[in-house]
Amino acid sequence: MQTPLPRVLLGPGPSSISPKVQEALSRAPIGYLDPELFEITDRIRARLRTVFGTQNAFTIPLTGTGMAGMECCFANVIEPADKVLVGIHGFFGHRMAEITRRLGAEVITVEAEWGEVLEPAAIAKALDAAGKVKLVACVHAETSTGICQPLEEIAKLAREHGALFLVDTVTSLGGMPVEVDRLGIDISYSATQKCIGAPSGISPITVSERAWAVRQQRRAPVEWYFDWVLLKDYYDAPHTYHHTVPANLLYALDAALEEIEEEGLEDRWRRHVAVSTLLREQLKELGIKAFGRAEHRLPTLNAFYVPDAVDNEANVRARLLQDYGIEIGGGLGKLKGKIWRIGTMGSSATPRNVLLLSAALRTVLN
Amino acid sequence: MQTPLPRVLLGPGPSSISPKVQEALSRAPIGYLDPELFEITDRIRARLRTVFGTQNAFTIPLTGTGMAGMECCFANVIEPADKVLVGIHGFFGHRMAEITRRLGAEVITVEAEWGEVLEPAAIAKALDAAGKVKLVACVHAETSTGICQPLEEIAKLAREHGALFLVDTVTSLGGMPVEVDRLGIDISYSATQKCIGAPSGISPITVSERAWAVRQQRRAPVEWYFDWVLLKDYYDAPHTYHHTVPANLLYALDAALEEIEEEGLEDRWRRHVAVSTLLREQLKELGIKAFGRAEHRLPTLNAFYVPDAVDNEANVRARLLQDYGIEIGGGLGKLKGKIWRIGTMGSSATPRNVLLLSAALRTVLN
């Protein structure tokens, strides 16, 4: 087998990691009750609060990917027969609904076309019709469409109806403002391999006091591995054993969060906007049209229509990967074959990567 | 803060990793649908079949720790009101029962004293009394007691009663014979950070055709993140997206399994026995008595009574860690404060580490 080119990761995640994060990954492991480990996890938890924009005490690096975070966050507050409103404007909204149904909830969905955003009026109407709803959930940055959901009005509606507000920030955290406390988000989960700049395998989650109280009042048992109470007993002193946390992934996450601190969170957000803008300009020159309304497009995940002249879009992606070691993503679900998804996230979000991709695309398309 | 000494990990896991595994960890990440990634996961799956001693098609590296493996393996076959027999001879047997209860099962427990093994006669009696039991479960290598459970007769009993047989091989896989197919184990999960020699964060699991059929006939929904069917659809072609697998942990696992292949599985088992024997001899010279009956002691996790002369056993462990960078484990549950648990697993299992520990213990105890 020929040695493959190192990858330039411009897909929907994972994104590339920096040399500093690579070095941290390879440090010697440490025990799950070692005092030094808790210095690291305490620092990670403080830094995660900063990127989430929250004071929430229960903010932890969950062992598992972003999808583990999704399962964990729903499973702790949803009991069978609870009513849950899930706003769906892409693939990951459907996942939320699927997970919530499996937990035995009565799921009310409010759907927007893929590429559009959820309208607060539609959510208000559904809430009024539903009676007591325990939780309202939606995705902030839809990885399947590249669309950013405005959250302020939905947060207000959830609060007015006495419901918790849960938001997926997998593709926004670390790359754009999240503002958990200012917006009134009660529960959020993310992933480390996108805008945070670490490898996959950890899901940062944060939980408000209000959501914590709902967890404590529940009667039905929680899935053991994802139980917030057991996880809190491990991460807070006196640190009761729950599972063997992956020390190497925590080293890498700590290093990535330190890099965010060094860059400055607002400067990092601006970098994501600048690199995303450059990408759109470059692809526009190639005649490749952006998907979705301009005012809702994410700076972290950029969706483009596959050009009409392309017969087999998967071949284009395969050639980018084979000939140039560049990964971009195809469409998911109903957008399969119709769009390309190009991530400008974390360490991958550089002008150099954008120029390389546009040059490679120009070559492959000609 | 003073830079701590690199750790010599002789606790209940994680164990140390080799330079080759450290190097693999730090490689650049790769996308979750990259063809090269599936070359790696296919190789890992084949190598895991070898260490499990099985031909099971559904043998995968689950994203999560050994405890994720435990949750996953019970959750896929247990439906509410199912009868499950859990044999308990230590802390992790109790965990099995706890997880199974949370899944809504009717749990029948057969308990042995911690330090003893389960008696097949007691299990036969419980099975006869219970009526239809769906699953019989126990722990092969009890990490809390250092005791090895003989499996052959329990496997036979499970089969005779038409029940599936599930075995926790967290502290045995890669360090001693497991023999899934020969023994008739239907479901097993393990962990990578013990005798396999990789970092924590992955749980190898293997499932027989018989258990797979039970999964497919179930009616109640399965926890989404751990659903075997969704995981199979990802790991088998055409590879449907489920979650972003942690490429770096997979690189490390692949490298660790390659080292097992190079060492030879039987030679590796012999090394674990030799190093464990050396440890017992060394500690006997210090007047430290081994816990449990000699014929049931594990070669991977060695339990010893805390000497009577020691007032505060936690101080001894803290001094080993602070002064010499050596981790050993304390007792769990009802053995807390009564025993020390010393792992001789994977890359940590060397004569050098044993001599260092016994010399350090001699100094600390005097």
Side-chain angles (χ1 to χ4, degrees), chain A residues 1 4 7 22 25-26 31 34 39 65 71 95 102 200 222-225 227 241-242 244-246 327, chain B residues 1 7 22 26 31 34 36 39 65 71 95 102 200 222-225 227 241-242 244-246 248 327:
Chain A
M1 174 190 133
R7 301 306 189 218
Q22 282 186 289
L25 253 181
S26 69
D34 195 304
E39 288 180 27
T65 71
E71 173 106 29
R95 282 224 162 153
R102 289 187 185 212
S200 75
V222 180
E223 298 170 3
W224 185 90
Y225 190 67
D227 187 339
Y241 166 59
H242 177 259
T244 304
V245 293
E327 178 182 88
Chain B
M1 173 188 134
R7 302 304 191 218
Q22 283 185 287
S26 70
D34 196 303
E36 199 208 348
E39 289 181 25
T65 70
E71 173 105 30
R95 282 225 160 152
R102 289 188 185 210
S200 75
V222 180
E223 298 171 5
W224 185 90
Y225 190 67
D227 187 340
Y241 166 59
H242 177 259
T244 303
V245 294
N248 293 78
E327 178 181 87

Side-chain angles (χ1 to χ4, degrees), chain B residues 173-188:
Chain B
L173 193 75
M176 51 188 284
V178 166
E179 302 182 290
V180 162
D181 287 356
R182 192 187 71 73
L183 293 171
I185 297 169
D186 291 296
I187 306 169
S188 188

